[in-house]
């Protein structure tokens, strides 16, 4: 049988272990996020410029435009080479929409990987319960490239019978602009390592769209909660509009194509979170130890009596 002080000490050890695990998670998150943006070239972690984005990125971001209708008359070419209207994918079921480009060397692959991984744990079927629509923001990309990306991700998803629910589209600039403006997806063309303007600076997000083509929910970043996606699709199937989500992950990295450098803003968040965890844990332990000492002084006789009787 344990006395009150022994129980409190064990509780403190468990709290300390949990806090250490949480801090380790934050550090791993920072390391993982760093790997997401270092996929090509000789990138270096440059000096943090504070909270100001480089000029070239002032137009990059995601403005959440909930309940905004998509331009359903916009025309694209699907991964089979067929001309389609965006509205062809609505009317019966909701959809997950993502604006990417298939030759993206960094973020888009992470985003599509995260989406496929999350959908593996969602007990709904693309093509039957919802559609997945990916639209390239690069008008030079071709249906052949879209077909290769589709084949890769359908195979990764592991349910080949759902292929008719995955739609990888390419299109002309005017139609791309119509969709990106409706979604609130800001991006700019930037030079790649060879100096050619064949890459894009952009944020990472997916959107859930109602059956009648209205934006119902945004999910930011490159990893998505299967439970949130499931609930978002269920609500969107009834044409319900969700609530705005925190925009904190949109600018995890400041990347300046002019210097081919990026700075890791998430490191500041991790450092701040670590300091708050340590300070909170230290304060809690100090209070509890003082309380333990007071209880020890006030209850020496009952403890001695219990020991004698035992």
């Amino acid at each position: 049988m344990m006395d009150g002080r022994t129980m409190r000490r064990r509780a403190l050890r468990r709290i300390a272990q949990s806090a250490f695990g949480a801090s380790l998670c934050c550090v791993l998150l920072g390391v993982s996020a760093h790997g997401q943006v270092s996929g090509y070239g000789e990138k270096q972690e440059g000096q943090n410029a504070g909270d100001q984005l480089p000029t070239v990125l002032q137009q990059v971001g995601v403005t959440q435009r909930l309940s905004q209708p998509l331009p359903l008359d916009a025309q694209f070419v699907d991964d089979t080479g067929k001309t389609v209207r965006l509205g062809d994918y609505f009317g019966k079921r909701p959809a997950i929409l993502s604006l990417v480009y298939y030759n993206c060397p960094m973020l888009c692959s992470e985003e599509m990987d995260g989406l496929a991984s999350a959908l593996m744990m969602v007990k709904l079927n693309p093509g039957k319960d919802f559609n997945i629509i990916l639209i390239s923001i690069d008008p030079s990309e071709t249906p052949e490239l879209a077909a290769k990306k589709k084949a890769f991700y359908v195979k990764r998803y592991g349910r080949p019978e759902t292929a008719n629910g995955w739609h990888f589209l390419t299109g002309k600039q005017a139609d791309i602009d119509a969709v990106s403006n409706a979604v609130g997806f800001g991006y700019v063309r930037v030079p790649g390592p060879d100096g050619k303007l064949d890459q894009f600076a952009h944020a990472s997000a997916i959107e859930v769209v109602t059956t009648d083509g209205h934006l119902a929910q945004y999910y930011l970043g490159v990893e998505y909660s299967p439970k949130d996606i499931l609930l978002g699709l269920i609500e969107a199937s009834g044409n319900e509009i969700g609530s705005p989500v925190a925009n904190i992950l949109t600018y995890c990295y400041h990347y300046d194509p002019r210097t081919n450098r990026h700075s890791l803003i998430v490191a500041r968040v991790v450092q701040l979170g670590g300091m708050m965890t340590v300070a909170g844990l230290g304060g809690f332990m100090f209070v509890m130890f003082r309380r333990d000492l007071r209880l020890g002084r006030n209850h020496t006789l009952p403890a001695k009596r219990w020991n004698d009787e035992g």
Side-chain angles (χ1 to χ4, degrees), residues 19-148:
F20 175 77
S23 300
L24 181 59
C25 256
C26 286
V27 173
L28 290 177
L29 172 63
V31 173
S32 174
H34 179 81
Q36 291 168 7
V37 297
S38 300
Y40 74 93
E42 295 291 332
K43 289 188 178 179
Q44 304 172 9
E45 185 173 337
Q47 295 180 349
N48 196 310
D51 295 330
Q52 296 298 318
L53 285 170
T55 303
V56 72
L57 296 186
Q58 294 294 332
Q59 302 176 49
V60 173
V62 177
T63 302
Q64 299 177 52
R65 294 178 176 166
L66 296 171
S67 79
Q68 173 79 19
L70 293 178
L72 299 183
D73 288 333
Q75 290 192 346
F76 295 93
V77 179
D78 70 10
D79 43 81
T80 68
K82 176 184 176 182
T83 299
V84 296
R85 291 173 56 255
L86 188 58
D88 293 342
Y89 304 113
F90 296 96
K92 296 182 179 179
R93 56 184 70 93
I96 294 175
L97 172 68
S98 180
L99 297 173
V100 295
Y101 69 108
Y102 306 131
N103 278 323
C104 179
M106 300 180 296
L107 202 56
C108 296
S109 295
E110 296 288 340
E111 178 181 323
M112 290 186 282
D113 288 347
L115 176 59
S117 297
L119 290 177
M120 291 177 189
M121 294 179 277
V122 174
K123 294 184 178 180
L124 295 176
N125 295 307
K128 177 183 177 182
D129 302 308
F130 67 100
N131 283 310
I132 302 168
I133 305 169
L134 294 104
I135 298 176
S136 172
I137 59 176
D138 185 350
S140 70
E141 292 189 328
T142 64
E144 291 77 17
L145 178 58
K148 290 180 180 179

Side-chain angles (χ1 to χ4, degrees), residues 141-155:
E141 292 189 328
T142 64
E144 291 77 17
L145 178 58
K148 290 180 180 179
K149 283 291 181 181
K150 175 177 177 175
F152 177 85
Y153 281 102
V154 170
K155 181 178 180 181

Side-chain angles (χ1 to χ4, degrees), residues 47-54 251 254 263-265 268:
Q47 295 180 349
N48 196 310
D51 295 330
Q52 296 298 318
L53 285 170
Y251 299 117
H254 284 179
S263 52
L264 189 60
I265 289 183
R268 284 190 170 183

Side-chain angles (χ1 to χ4, degrees), residues 1-6 299-310:
M1 183 173 180
M2 295 183 293
D3 61 18
R5 284 177 292 177
T6 301
H299 295 84
T300 53
L301 291 179
K304 185 176 185 302
R305 186 183 303 117
W306 184 86
N307 288 332
D308 292 340
E309 292 174 355

